[in-house]
Amino acid sequence: MANAVMTHAPTQPREVHPHHLTSAIADQVNELLDQADQHADRLELSASALLHRQAIQLIGIRPPASGELARCTCQNCYCGAIFDAAKARTYMDGTVELVQCETCADEHRLTGDE
């Protein structure tokens, strides 16, 4: 008799909303992602990747294939989701680039021309 091999589906979420985190953890995640952005701006990509990994472990999100997280800065609903950066949709509002998660982009896509 052959044994069946079953793989377990990951139970970690693909995105996290900051209001589901304690304020201390949300603050730590914001600090880590802010630091990661600063390192990326200076092309210090190894340091940026390390900070993203720390944020991923801290919030318990499923590690995205890209290894990078993004924060939804949608000006329509302010959801603030933290998610896989490869799935981010961006738009310009003047000279400021804003990010929408997939849900916001599907429900109320913004272009900056509103």
Side-chain angles (χ1 to χ4, degrees), residues 27-79:
D27 289 346
Q28 286 178 314
V29 169
N30 279 328
E31 180 65 28
L32 288 169
L33 294 178
D34 287 345
Q35 289 176 16
D37 289 345
Q38 291 168 6
H39 284 289
D41 289 345
R42 293 190 303 265
L43 299 178
E44 298 167 349
L45 302 182
S46 295
S48 178
L50 176 63
L51 291 162
H52 278 276
R53 282 194 301 273
Q54 290 175 355
I56 289 165
Q57 290 175 339
L58 183 62
I59 60 178
I61 195 170
R62 185 180 311 169
S66 70
E68 189 175 340
L69 297 175
R71 292 174 280 193
C72 186
T73 56
C74 177
Q75 298 296 295
N76 197 20
C77 67
Y78 306 97
C79 87

